[in-house]
Amino acid sequence: MHKRPHFINFVCMLTNNDNHKAATLYVSDLDGTLLNSDTRLSDTTVRLLNKAIAHGAMFTVATARTPATVTTLMRRVDVKLPMIVLAGAAMWHDSERAYSDVQTIDSATVNRLADVFERHGLHPLIYRRHGGMLHVRHCGQLSQQEQQFVAERTGLELKRFYLDDSERQYRDEADGEAVLLFSMQKLDRLAPVYDEIKDDPHCSVMFYPDIFDPTSGFIEIYRAGCTKAQAIGRLASRLGVERTVVFGDNGNDLAMMRAASHSVAVANAIPAVKEAASEITGTNNDDSVARWICADMGLDTD
């Protein structure tokens, strides 16, 4: 007999659950929101999330991270739903170790954007899906911030870096589907690139400061229309829920904060996120997301 995917079985279980709160999809950002300042989930957050899920909570995360780090960070939480990764450019089914809903960037757009970076003396990291893996290619010198970023992720199971590529290898679309162009630099180096590409109709561009170093920042470029909000909307539609509650802290959370039924900013969020939120809760160091979800479901938060 053909075994139904874990996600489909979970949806069927929820369809037959009369608990009102089971009609809510809870989605949290990771860094600065669900993760504490040590970039980890506290034991309390893990325990409370697992309690909520055991009582029927539909919970997942929406993050700019890739499965290579998300699976490690979330390994103690019994997440049954697909996790929204790459800022909405894909969903990751951890039980099946597979991607779905991959939003790809066409090769002409990739080449045009790479040309812009090069005019400003930079090369982005180009992420391409290769089956269940991500191949990340770079040409030229990494910034100090990118060197640290790569060092912390080298050797991970689901991601492979190819550095010091030739220009031909760097842009070779035969390596897989392009899903992200990424750069981490000092803000004054990234700002001119952003100014040139921000209105490109073929891509979605996010430019925001590093929460740990306000002099540095990130540019993330995805396919046009690709946001956490869009991915959450697709998932909510499949689950048949009308109420979505989201939690965030930074600029790439703004779209989902504005689109959700109810949005919660952590106290350490940037001002724009707090202004967009329905309410503000405690900080990411206070297990605030997990406590909020349990309270919303009428569960003990201790």
Side-chain angles (χ1 to χ4, degrees):
M1 179 181 295
H2 179 67
K3 184 177 179 181
R4 290 186 299 181
H6 186 47
F7 169 51
I8 301 300
N9 288 331
F10 183 58
V11 172
C12 293
M13 178 188 78
L14 290 170
T15 301
N16 296 317
N17 191 330
D18 292 331
N19 185 341
H20 170 69
K21 292 306 181 184
T24 297
L25 172 61
Y26 300 98
V27 185
S28 180
D29 172 55
L30 280 179
D31 293 273
T33 304
L34 193 64
L35 303 181
N36 62 23
S37 295
D38 294 327
T39 319
R40 58 182 292 271
L41 294 182
S42 74
D43 291 341
T44 298
T45 283
V46 170
R47 177 173 54 80
L48 292 177
L49 288 178
N50 283 334
K51 178 197 292 187
I53 293 168
H55 282 80
M58 288 184 283
F59 171 80
T60 192
V61 297
T63 176
R65 286 178 177 265
T66 73
T69 55
V70 173
T71 54
T72 299
L73 290 167
M74 297 298 295
R75 70 186 183 280
R76 295 190 293 154
V77 181
D78 189 23
V79 179
K80 296 177 173 67
L81 297 177
M83 292 184 279
I84 296 167
V85 295
L86 289 157
M91 294 188 192
W92 174 254
H93 302 254
D94 201 42
S95 62
E96 300 161 36
R97 310 298 274 181
Y99 286 94
S100 70
D101 292 81
V102 181
Q103 310 294 305
T104 61
I105 310 171
D106 66 88
S107 59
T109 300
V110 169
N111 286 324
R112 185 172 64 256
L113 294 170
D115 288 342
V116 174
F117 275 88
E118 288 177 27
R119 283 199 294 273
H120 295 277
L122 302 173
H123 287 86
L125 291 153
I126 299 179
Y127 286 59
R128 295 183 183 274
R129 184 178 77 95
H130 192 86
M133 291 281 294
L134 280 178
H135 287 183
V136 186
R137 294 192 175 274
H138 189 268
C139 176
Q141 181 68 36
L142 292 167
S143 70
Q144 182 178 350
Q145 295 89 340
E146 289 166 342
Q147 289 175 26
Q148 181 178 347
F149 177 87
V150 169
E152 291 171 352
R153 290 157 175 80
T154 297
L156 293 177
E157 178 188 0
L158 299 171
K159 179 186 291 184
R160 186 170 299 155
F161 287 95
Y162 297 88
L163 308 178
D164 299 319
D165 267 358
S166 69
E167 191 67 38
R168 182 187 62 78
Q169 292 171 317
Y170 174 61
R171 300 194 186 208
D172 187 2
E173 62 183 291
D175 192 42
E177 303 166 317
V179 292
L180 166 66
L181 276 70
F182 171 81
S183 185
M184 184 180 184
Q185 307 275 346
K186 289 297 183 182
L187 285 174
D188 59 354
R189 294 208 68 192
L190 287 178
V193 176
Y194 174 69
D195 288 340
E196 192 168 340
I197 64 177
K198 63 183 178 181
D199 297 322
D200 190 313
H202 298 93
C203 57
S204 177
V205 186
M206 285 178 276
F207 176 43
Y208 56 97
D210 183 352
I211 59 174
F212 302 110
D213 176 11
T215 68
S216 296
F218 307 89
I219 281 184
E220 299 171 10
I221 307 170
Y222 303 93
R223 192 171 91 178
C226 180
T227 64
K228 292 181 181 180
Q230 292 287 338
I232 291 169
R234 292 194 298 273
L235 182 58
S237 178
R238 289 171 195 167
L239 292 169
V241 302
E242 295 183 358
R243 182 178 184 246
T244 54
V245 177
V246 302
F247 305 84
D249 76 305
N250 212 337
N252 64 348
D253 299 321
L254 281 170
M256 73 175 188
M257 304 294 278
R258 292 168 178 151
S261 307
H262 192 84
S263 55
V264 183
V266 287
N268 51 287
I270 65 172
V273 171
K274 290 180 179 179
E275 291 169 9
S278 305
E279 67 171 280
I280 301 170
T281 188
T283 73
N284 63 318
N285 290 316
D286 300 321
D287 305 297
S288 300
V289 172
R291 292 186 191 280
W292 198 101
I293 292 171
C294 282
D296 191 54
M297 296 183 68
L299 301 174
D300 189 350
T301 61
D302 292 330

